[in-house]
Amino acid sequence: MSEIVTSDRSARALTTHPFDDDHLREECGVFGLFGTDNAAAHTVLGLHALQHRGQEAAGITSFDGSQFHTQKHGGQVADYFTDQAVLDRLPGAAAIGHVRYSTTGETAMRNVQPLFAELAHGGFAVAHNGNLTNAQTLRRSLVRAGAIFQSTSDTEVILHLLATSTFRTALDRFIDALRQVEGAYSLVALTQEALIGVRDPLGVRPLVLGEMEDGVQILCSETCALDILGATFIREIEPGEMVVIDRNGLTSLHPFDPAPARPCIFEHVYFSRPDSMLDGMSVYDVRKRIGAELARESGVEADLVIPVPDSGTPAAIGYAREADLPFELGIVRNHYVGRTFIEPSDKIRHLGVKLKHNANHWSIKGKRVILVDDSIVRGTTSMKIVDMVRQAGAREVHMRIASPPTRHSCFYGVDTPERSKLLAARMDLDSMRDVIGADTLAFLSIAGLYRACYVDAGRNDAQPQFCDACFTGDYPTRLTDQEDVAGPLDLLAAAQS
């Protein structure tokens, strides 16, 4: 196993952006393919298309027929993986890759995926999108039994369960390991013989199958990663399905007990790229439908509709069309902020929102404005945006949110603040309106969100069609680690507990 992990500059790149802490963070993105020359180069392109799902770090593991090779780097894909010298260190016809925003485990290079282990049956690399809700509980048990962890990532638990399984084949060991975990996972794994993809029984996180013209099959988080390679979308991996791609083609297995699917509805609101297809629907189309529903539910007299870019744009288009109001780019986003200001002064931090957004005064002055954004988390950015629009001369500012109030934390792979820091968990609608400084504030109803996702009958409260726990608090799995509040993450405490 050859592995290079860049340091210094990479470690600095892992620092959380100081001006973008009032948003639900993307989870992660995974990509894998088997049986093509320059597999790593194809993986770089796929990860580039999935960059929106995680900008903290990226990694690729390839297999050249005899040895695994890994490259990891803090920051974005193009910061490192466009160097031919790096690609030369990733030979082979099979590869998997990962873009990361941490939701479990510290922000450190040792947690950057794919994770790799030399096991009794050979090398095994895995990349994970999601979050295991019993990882701490399993980790303590494994540590007591003598396991030595190299990271604080929940994903490493899978490798240890795999290593200690008593089943004979690598595939059976993998299945045995996954039957012990709870929560959300879409995984791509690489062995000496095959590429494996698997989606948890509820299908919380997405995973799709595609095929290139030469028949090479691809597994990835979103269809936009297929488009960049000119590959054809074949289908979504089903909830609870495992696919094995090797020299003999693709084998589909269903090794888990069946369960009603609960895909994450926030993928439609924000996480997935608008040019992707998800759950058989165009993400862009759903977001415009969300805006139209929002206009029907909470219309207000106004002169124009303005999105908070970029995530609010499709919903604002739908809102403007339904309300028969002009759509204007009243806020312009600076796409080049990046992570330039790692340690800003207090004064610069206070002005931080203007580094990313600036009001287009000429389209706002004297107007009654409807601002459309995808969500409100802490409320700090919404406050600054509303104030910025007022300072630009808006006569009225009406805030419309293209999702229900986010009142609960996510434990399935989305980095949300603890519940006490969520504005909607602490305040009623009128109080939130006063805090952000808008003339009126309205959120999309949960029924409206379901209608926008083509569920005309609305939410089935007895058996919801999506995971919407961040809005409703209705978690689809047991939250074992939350119930066991004493569960430590660090190895020393785990060994002593």
Side-chain angles (χ1 to χ4, degrees), residues 29-35 43 60-63 68 93-98 113-117 119 121-129 155 158-159 162 170-171 173-175 177-178 185-199 207 217-220 237 241-246:
V30 299
F31 185 94
L33 77 173
F34 183 94
T43 302
I60 295 174
T61 296
S62 68
F63 182 65
F68 288 86
I96 62 172
H98 188 266
Q113 299 185 29
L115 298 184
F116 175 84
L119 304 175
H121 55 271
F124 192 94
V126 63
H128 174 200
N129 174 208
T155 311
I158 297 172
L159 289 176
L162 218 161
L171 191 60
R173 288 177 180 226
F174 194 26
I175 293 169
L178 294 178
Y185 55 85
S186 281
L187 304 168
V188 290
L190 190 61
T191 72
Q192 294 166 186
E193 293 85 22
L195 169 69
I196 304 170
V198 60
R199 199 173 174 198
L207 189 64
Q217 291 176 312
I218 297 170
L219 295 169
C220 55
I237 302 304
E241 181 183 14
M242 175 179 283
V243 293
V244 181
I245 301 170
D246 57 21

Side-chain angles (χ1 to χ4, degrees), residues 175 179 235 238-243 252-258:
I175 293 169
R179 283 176 173 166
R235 64 178 178 87
E238 298 172 8
E241 181 183 14
M242 175 179 283
V243 293
S252 173
L253 308 168
H254 289 81
F256 311 110
D257 293 335

Side-chain angles (χ1 to χ4, degrees), residues 138 142 157-165 173 176-177 180-181:
L138 290 170
L142 288 161
V157 167
I158 297 172
L159 289 176
H160 284 278
L161 292 174
L162 218 161
T164 56
S165 174
R173 288 177 180 226
D176 181 40
Q180 299 176 63
V181 303

Side-chain angles (χ1 to χ4, degrees), residues 52 133 192 210 254 259 269 275 361 366 440 488:
H52 60 287
T133 57
Q192 294 166 186
H254 289 81
V269 174
D275 53 334
H361 296 249
T440 66

Side-chain angles (χ1 to χ4, degrees), residues 127-391:
H128 174 200
N129 174 208
N131 194 60
L132 306 182
T133 57
N134 66 337
Q136 294 182 38
T137 303
L138 290 170
R139 184 187 183 108
R140 283 201 309 279
S141 176
L142 288 161
V143 168
R144 288 193 191 102
I148 299 174
F149 279 76
Q150 301 298 316
S151 76
T152 57
S153 167
D154 62 330
T155 311
E156 191 179 356
V157 167
I158 297 172
L159 289 176
H160 284 278
L161 292 174
L162 218 161
T164 56
S165 174
T166 57
F167 283 85
R168 186 176 60 85
T169 68
L171 191 60
D172 285 339
R173 288 177 180 226
F174 194 26
I175 293 169
D176 181 40
L178 294 178
R179 283 176 173 166
Q180 299 176 63
V181 303
E182 300 168 358
Y185 55 85
S186 281
L187 304 168
V188 290
L190 190 61
T191 72
Q192 294 166 186
E193 293 85 22
L195 169 69
I196 304 170
V198 60
R199 199 173 174 198
D200 69 74
L202 299 178
V204 177
R205 295 283 154 240
L207 189 64
V208 301
L209 173 69
E211 186 173 282
M212 297 200 296
E213 287 184 356
D214 56 4
V216 171
Q217 291 176 312
I218 297 170
L219 295 169
C220 55
S221 294
E222 291 184 41
T223 60
C224 62
L226 302 175
D227 296 338
I228 199 170
L229 291 168
T232 301
F233 169 63
I234 302 299
R235 64 178 178 87
E236 294 187 8
I237 302 304
E238 298 172 8
E241 181 183 14
M242 175 179 283
V243 293
V244 181
I245 301 170
D246 57 21
R247 291 179 180 83
N248 298 316
L250 183 145
T251 303
S252 173
L253 308 168
H254 289 81
F256 311 110
D257 293 335
R262 294 282 297 274
C264 172
I265 202 166
F266 211 84
E267 292 277 355
H268 291 284
V269 174
Y270 173 71
F271 292 127
S272 292
R273 227 170 73 170
D275 53 334
S276 285
M277 293 288 295
L278 181 67
D279 301 322
M281 297 173 273
S282 159
V283 174
Y284 180 65
D285 175 62
V286 168
R287 288 180 188 166
K288 288 192 296 181
R289 287 171 59 89
I290 284 173
E293 288 286 345
L294 188 57
R296 285 191 284 270
E297 289 184 355
S298 58
V300 63
E301 290 291 325
D303 299 310
L304 71 160
V305 177
I306 291 174
V308 178
D310 290 320
S311 55
T313 300
I317 292 172
Y319 191 110
R321 287 180 180 175
E322 180 65 25
D324 195 23
L325 289 171
F327 169 90
E328 297 286 351
L329 294 178
I331 299 172
V332 178
R333 181 183 174 189
N334 179 1
H335 290 265
Y336 304 99
V337 174
R339 297 173 184 267
T340 303
F341 300 93
I342 297 300
E343 295 180 355
S345 67
D346 289 341
K347 182 177 180 180
I348 292 177
R349 186 182 294 276
H350 179 71
L351 297 173
V353 70
K354 291 189 176 181
L355 291 168
K356 188 172 182 181
H357 296 113
N358 190 45
N360 187 354
H361 296 249
W362 294 269
S363 64
I364 291 175
K365 189 173 181 179
K367 303 292 179 59
R368 298 170 298 172
V369 171
I370 297 174
L371 277 176
V372 179
D373 203 357
D374 63 275
S375 61
I376 291 180
V377 184
R378 292 179 175 89
T380 52
T381 297
S382 298
M383 239 165 35
K384 293 172 184 176
I385 291 286
V386 169
D387 181 63
M388 181 174 65
V389 172
R390 286 201 188 281
Q391 293 296 324

Side-chain angles (χ1 to χ4, degrees), residues 457-471:
R459 185 180 193 267
N460 180 348
D461 293 340
Q463 189 173 299
Q465 302 91 325
F466 292 94
C467 177
D468 52 23
C470 56
F471 306 130

